[in-house]
Amino acid sequence: MANIYDPPRSKWLYPDRGMVKWLGFFLSDHTAALEQDSDTGQPVGTPQVQQDKAAIGALLDNAYLTGETVHIQLNVLENDHFPPDTVGTVAGFSNDGRVLLYTTHGAKQLNVAAIRNIRAEEPAKWYRAGVNNYGQ
């Protein structure tokens, strides 16, 4: 007869904690719900400073040349609120005053005249500009 190893129940039985292990999933949904506008249920953007056309053009050109991710706020009101920022990388420009932006939801064309504010995305937390002595 073969030697069969039969481990005790305490070695193989997983102590299920029930719903306790799922509580982390509710936090992100709850915070996303808090960020939405209470009246319309749509996410809203925080108003940014109106930039002039020269600054917007210079920032778009720089984002195109460097490939930086930018946050663009349009000068459009929806239910007395600004829509959320369009986030993406600048892929090019057209002759009729539009900019092509690659986002996570696909390519979008935005009218340059409708842009209120543009800003570059902040670097990741681990990166600090101007610091050359990492690991010391």
Side-chain angles (χ1 to χ4, degrees):
M1 183 154 181
N3 187 4
I4 298 175
Y5 175 68
D6 187 18
R9 183 178 170 95
S10 63
K11 296 278 187 185
W12 60 266
L13 183 63
Y14 172 71
D16 189 10
R17 298 181 296 153
M19 284 301 294
V20 175
K21 65 183 175 185
W22 298 102
L23 288 179
F25 291 106
F26 293 113
L27 184 61
S28 64
D29 292 341
H30 181 66
T31 55
L34 290 176
E35 291 174 357
Q36 294 199 356
D37 184 35
S38 61
D39 296 335
T40 62
Q42 299 295 324
V44 296
T46 56
Q48 301 293 329
V49 176
Q50 174 75 43
Q51 295 174 329
D52 61 344
K53 300 298 179 194
I56 290 172
L59 289 168
L60 283 173
D61 287 339
N62 185 39
Y64 177 68
L65 293 174
T66 60
E68 288 181 319
T69 302
V70 291
H71 293 255
I72 297 178
Q73 184 176 51
L74 297 178
N75 202 9
V76 177
L77 290 177
E78 296 174 357
N79 298 327
D80 297 329
H81 295 288
F82 289 103
D85 294 347
T86 305
V87 180
T89 57
V90 178
F93 303 95
S94 67
N95 291 334
D96 60 346
R98 294 185 178 269
V99 60
L100 178 65
L101 201 70
Y102 287 148
T103 66
T104 56
H105 303 293
K108 291 186 179 182
Q109 286 189 6
L110 302 176
N111 191 356
V112 175
I115 294 177
R116 174 183 176 86
N117 186 293
I118 182 171
R119 63 191 185 284
E121 188 170 66
E122 295 294 322
K125 288 183 179 182
W126 60 269
Y127 175 77
R128 295 178 305 184
V131 177
N132 296 325
N133 58 354
Y134 287 109
Q136 293 181 356

